[in-house]
Amino acid sequence: MHDISKLNRKHKKGIFLGCGKSINQLSQKNIDVLHKEFDIWVSNSFMINKDIVPDFYHLEVKNHRNGPLVKRIISEKFQKYKNTKWILDATRPHLLSNFNPKNYNPDNFYFYRKYYRQESHGMYKPIKEGLGVSLNASLSLICDAIIKMKYDEFYFLGVDMDDCRYFWTDNKKYSDVLIEDIIKTTKPDERSPDSLHPTFKMKFFIKEIFETNNQKAINLSNSSLLKETIETRKIGEVL
């Protein structure tokens, strides 16, 4: 097990794949390019995806929502995920209980110390001592970590925010996967699938943190609210 400061990138280009529905636009050819040429970052319940094995996984577990699903899939996919680097909040040691130590190498676990920023904007320089969380969004932590990796270019796909659907919502491809009703969409007990994702202000944060740190952020989803704030390209132009 390591401190996150020991984490190193593999490629000069990276991409964060969110759980938004635009993930379904990826072809197998696109996915092959991702695996060969990009560092792939994911979070939350992305492990539902059948086609993509990430390089870096920020694990966020809310036991009353995705807890049972995470436990099941981590157990099922240990062979596929044998080289994935897991990024874990050091204040939540219980996250390790999701992993069978016989199946997962402890050298692939990286812990960070979290601090809460009072500001909602992304106009700051990340500090060495930990990762900052802004807007109560786990993606802000991931952006903090990504900035420190100093990629030549960094891309976003599946960070749609225009509604509360996921790539598995009403998707027949995942009809054989046990997905609890409470995570069929984003907090279905609180909001309509058509409402903006609660993290919609991240469209400003992402622009600000990358610009402030002189790094390039590019959106690949035409449905994402990020198209309003950062450069947007077509998937086929990049992958």
Side-chain angles (χ1 to χ4, degrees):
M1 299 183 186
H2 309 280
D3 183 85
I4 196 172
S5 63
K6 305 297 183 183
L7 193 66
N8 295 309
R9 72 184 192 190
K10 299 178 181 179
H11 298 92
K12 293 183 178 180
K13 295 184 292 186
I15 187 168
F16 177 79
L17 300 177
C19 292
K21 57 191 181 300
S22 62
I23 291 296
N24 292 321
Q25 297 174 21
L26 290 170
S27 67
Q28 187 56 54
K29 179 181 177 182
N30 298 149
I31 293 169
D32 290 342
V33 173
L34 283 176
H35 283 143
K36 290 178 182 177
E37 301 180 11
F38 287 75
D39 281 1
I40 302 173
W41 291 69
V42 304
S43 67
N44 298 332
S45 300
F46 190 88
M47 60 184 66
I48 290 173
N49 191 277
K50 294 184 175 183
D51 306 308
I52 300 168
V53 178
D55 299 293
F56 303 100
Y57 203 126
H58 177 266
L59 187 63
E60 182 88 2
V61 180
K62 293 181 173 63
N63 287 329
H64 66 296
R65 293 189 182 277
N66 68 338
L69 178 139
V70 167
K71 194 87 170 180
R72 286 195 302 272
I73 298 184
I74 282 180
S75 176
E76 294 168 1
K77 292 190 174 182
F78 71 92
Q79 289 286 1
K80 285 187 175 182
Y81 279 34
K82 62 182 179 181
N83 295 319
T84 296
K85 309 299 183 186
W86 297 89
I87 301 169
L88 307 173
D89 183 347
T91 68
R92 297 177 177 177
H94 64 275
L95 290 172
L96 285 174
S97 67
N98 292 287
F99 301 89
N100 184 332
K102 294 181 180 179
N103 295 334
Y104 285 89
N105 186 342
D107 280 343
N108 288 334
F109 293 104
Y110 291 78
F111 290 88
Y112 64 87
R113 292 170 294 283
K114 178 173 62 181
Y115 71 95
Y116 291 88
R117 296 181 64 244
Q118 299 303 311
E119 305 86 1
S120 60
H121 63 75
M123 294 178 284
Y124 73 101
K125 301 281 187 178
I127 64 173
K128 293 181 180 180
E129 293 76 17
L131 300 183
V133 59
S134 309
L135 296 165
N136 198 33
S138 60
L139 182 52
S140 66
L141 287 161
I142 298 166
C143 285
D144 195 307
I146 287 166
I147 290 295
K148 294 175 183 177
M149 305 289 270
K150 297 183 179 179
Y151 289 98
D152 290 351
E153 291 183 340
F154 200 87
Y155 296 82
F156 291 88
L157 179 66
V159 186
D160 299 327
M161 301 179 288
D162 61 328
D163 66 20
C164 286
R165 294 175 177 84
Y166 297 121
F167 65 76
W168 58 82
T169 303
D170 300 322
N171 188 338
K172 292 182 180 179
K173 182 174 183 176
Y174 296 96
S175 60
D176 62 328
V177 179
L178 175 58
I179 301 173
E180 283 78 4
D181 288 342
I182 200 168
I183 57 170
K184 292 286 179 68
T185 61
T186 306
K187 298 184 178 180
D189 49 331
E190 297 179 15
R191 55 177 58 86
S192 163
D194 294 318
S195 61
L196 288 180
H197 195 277
T199 61
F200 70 91
K201 290 183 180 179
M202 284 298 296
K203 69 178 183 179
F204 301 112
F205 179 90
I206 290 172
K207 169 184 170 64
E208 292 163 352
I209 192 170
F210 276 83
E211 287 186 349
T212 299
N213 290 277
N214 299 310
Q215 295 190 36
K216 186 73 171 176
I218 300 164
N219 167 50
L220 296 181
S221 170
N222 284 326
S223 61
S224 172
L225 299 184
L226 285 173
K227 67 184 179 182
E228 301 171 9
T229 58
I230 64 175
E231 179 184 348
T232 297
R233 298 182 191 171
K234 295 179 179 179
I235 292 175
E237 294 174 352
V238 176
L239 305 177

